[in-house]
Amino acid sequence: MPLATRTTRISSSPTMKVTSTVDRLRREGVEVVDFGAGEPDFPTPEQVKAAGHEALDENLTKYTPASGVSELKRAICDRYRADYGVDYKESEIIVTAGGKQALFNAALSLFNPGDEVITHAPYWPSLTEQVKLADATPVLVRTHAEDGFAIHARDMIAAITPRTRGIILNSPCNPTGALISEPDLAAIGDAAARQGIWVVVDLCYERLIYDAVPHNVPRVLGERCRDLTVLCGSASKAYSMTGWRCGWALAPAAVIAACSAIQSHSTSNVSSITQHAAITALTASQAPVREMLDEYRRRRDSLFEWLMADPRLRCRKPAGAFYMFIDISDVLSLDGFRTSNEFAQALLDEARVAVTPGEAFDAPGFIRISYATSMETLREGSTRLLEFVRAHARAA
Ligand SMILES: Cc1ncc(COP(=O)(O)O)c(C=O)c1O
C-alpha cells in the first residue's frame, strides 16, 4: 500500500544515523571514537536530577496542561527576563518535548502549503524537513566558510518573494558554530515587520556562546517585530538534559494557542517529571551551565590547536555550540574521495573515528566534529584523524 506522499518528501535524521552506526559497531565489540554525538557528555546536574526524584516521590506523575505547568512557564519567563531583559507572559509560553517539538509546532502553526520559508545553509536538517512536513518549501541562503558562515541580512532579505511566509534562523548555528550579528538580526527583523513575515529562531544553543559578544536575539527581535517572532529554546544542551525532552517556545499568545492545540492532539504534555526537573534547571544556580561551557571552551581550543596543525584541515574557531565544522576539500582532492560521505566512511572503517559528513547539513566538502566528549577522546580521535589524512596524502 502506498504511504502518504509527505513521507516521500522527507528523510530520517542523518545525524542520528551516525549515532546508530556507532551504537551498532560498539555492540559488535568494535572500539570507535565517536565525534558524531550531538549531545553533551556531562551528566544532568545533581540539583536537576534531585528535582526529578522529588517529583516521583511526590507522585507528580499525572497529566499536566498540554502547554506545561504554570510554575515552569513562569520559570521560563523569569529566565528570559534575567538573561535578555524581555517580558513574556505565561500565555506566551509553551513547554515542548525538546526544542525540536517547539520548532515543529511552530512550522505547523505558521506555514501553509506553497509558502516559502527562508533559512540559511549549512543547516540542521530538521529545520528544513519540518518545513516540508508543513507542506511548505524551504528556500536556502548559502553562508560561507570564508567569512565564518556569517548570516548576512542582505542575502536573507534578497531571497524574500511574495510567497515568503517565514524566516528561520539558528544561532548559535549547528553545524557551523556561527552567531548572527545583532545588526544583521535587526535588519531581518525590520524586513519581517515591513512585509509581515514570521521569524522563527532556533536558540537551542543560546547558553553555549564562548565570548561576550552581543547576541541578545530576544531583545533585538522584540524591538523590531515582536508580534512576528517565535523563539524556540531547550533544556537539552544547556543543562545536559537531552533525554529528558524539554524545550519551549516564546511567541505571541495566538501562536502559542495554535501550538498548544496541535500539541494537545499529538503528544499532550511533556513528562510531568521532566517539567519539575526543568523548573530547578532554570531557577537554581546556573553555575553548572558555566562550568560545562568552560570545559567546552578548553576542548574547543585544544582540538582546534591539534587539528589545525595540518593545513589541509581548514576551520575557524566556533563562536558557539560544540561543533567544529571543518573544510576537508583539500583532503578530498588528495586521494580520490568523491564526497565527504566517502571520507567519513573510510575514516570510520580504517581509523574507527565517527564524524558527521557535511552532506548531512547540505554542505559537501565538510565534516562536523562534536567536541561534546572527553579531552582524552578528542586527543585520541584527532591523532587518528591526522594520521588518516597523512596516510592518504602519502598514498595520493
Ligand atoms: C540546531 C538544533 N536545534 C534544535 C535541536 C533540538 O534539540 P532538542 O529537541 O533536544 O531540544 C538540536 C539538537 O541537536 C539542534 O542541533
Side-chain angles (χ1 to χ4, degrees), residues 9 12 30 105 109 203 230 249 265 285 294-295 333 345 348 382:
R9 287 197 295 269
S12 59
V30 180
N105 287 339
S109 300
L203 284 172
V230 181
H265 294 298
S285 159
D294 287 345
E295 179 57 22
S333 59
Q345 191 58 53
L348 185 59
S382 51

Side-chain angles (χ1 to χ4, degrees), residues 66-360:
S67 62
V69 297
S70 261
E71 208 184 336
L72 177 52
K73 291 188 203 175
R74 280 201 303 278
I76 295 167
C77 295
D78 291 347
R79 185 80 267 141
Y80 278 72
R81 188 176 305 108
D83 290 350
Y84 302 112
V86 292
D87 270 310
Y88 277 84
K89 296 194 281 288
E90 267 186 59
S91 58
E92 296 173 306
I93 310 283
I94 181 172
V95 178
T96 58
K100 195 179 260 186
Q101 192 183 25
L103 291 156
F104 189 48
N105 287 339
L108 291 188
S109 300
L110 304 179
F111 308 139
N112 283 315
D115 286 345
E116 292 178 358
V117 180
I118 301 168
T119 194
H120 44 94
Y123 53 81
W124 179 59
S126 295
L127 295 175
T128 51
E129 297 307 277
Q130 291 182 347
V131 168
K132 293 189 220 163
L133 284 170
D135 295 323
T137 306
V139 173
L140 302 177
V141 171
R142 288 270 142 209
T143 61
H144 302 283
E146 294 69 37
D147 62 0
F149 295 101
I151 302 162
H152 295 295
R154 60 169 186 275
D155 297 337
M156 299 293 282
I157 293 168
I160 294 175
T161 74
R163 302 175 80 134
T164 305
R165 179 117 172 145
I167 294 175
I168 301 179
L169 301 169
N170 174 213
S171 182
C173 175
N174 172 11
T176 66
L179 306 180
I180 190 164
S181 78
E182 289 195 350
D184 281 289
L185 183 64
I188 291 171
D190 285 339
R194 268 195 313 274
Q195 307 197 40
I197 294 169
W198 295 105
V199 183
V200 178
V201 193
D202 178 349
L203 284 172
C204 288
Y205 294 93
E206 66 191 313
R207 307 292 296 280
L208 301 181
I209 296 178
Y210 296 102
D211 298 311
V213 290
H215 189 261
N216 193 331
V217 173
R219 186 184 47 74
V220 171
L221 289 182
E223 284 166 3
R224 310 283 165 160
C225 57
R226 192 186 195 281
D227 293 350
L228 291 162
T229 298
V230 181
L231 304 171
C232 298
S234 174
S236 290
K237 320 285 176 171
Y239 302 106
S240 197
M241 289 180 73
T242 44
W244 296 74
R245 308 309 300 135
C246 186
W248 47 79
L250 299 86
V255 176
I256 293 300
C259 292
S260 302
I262 290 168
Q263 189 163 298
S264 74
H265 294 298
S266 49
T267 57
S268 298
N269 59 275
V270 170
S271 150
S272 54
I273 300 154
T274 290
Q275 291 191 58
H276 284 278
I279 293 167
T280 297
L282 288 158
T283 57
S285 159
Q286 300 295 293
V289 182
R290 286 190 291 276
E291 283 159 20
M292 288 189 272
L293 180 64
D294 287 345
E295 179 57 22
Y296 288 134
R297 187 185 293 103
R298 279 191 285 275
R299 294 171 181 181
R300 176 194 68 161
D301 293 347
S302 299
L303 182 66
F304 187 78
E305 195 189 310
W306 295 331
L307 292 183
M308 293 309 111
D310 189 323
R312 289 165 293 209
L313 300 173
R314 283 181 284 127
C315 175
R316 288 203 188 182
K317 256 191 202 181
F322 42 59
Y323 307 105
M324 218 160 270
F325 202 51
I326 302 172
D327 183 343
I328 56 160
S329 44
D330 287 350
V331 184
L332 290 184
S333 59
L334 279 181
D335 197 21
F337 296 114
R338 277 166 308 181
T339 61
S340 24
N341 259 329
E342 282 187 6
F343 176 91
Q345 191 58 53
L347 183 66
L348 185 59
D349 293 343
E350 295 169 29
R352 297 299 185 204
V353 177
V355 299
T356 311
E359 282 85 351

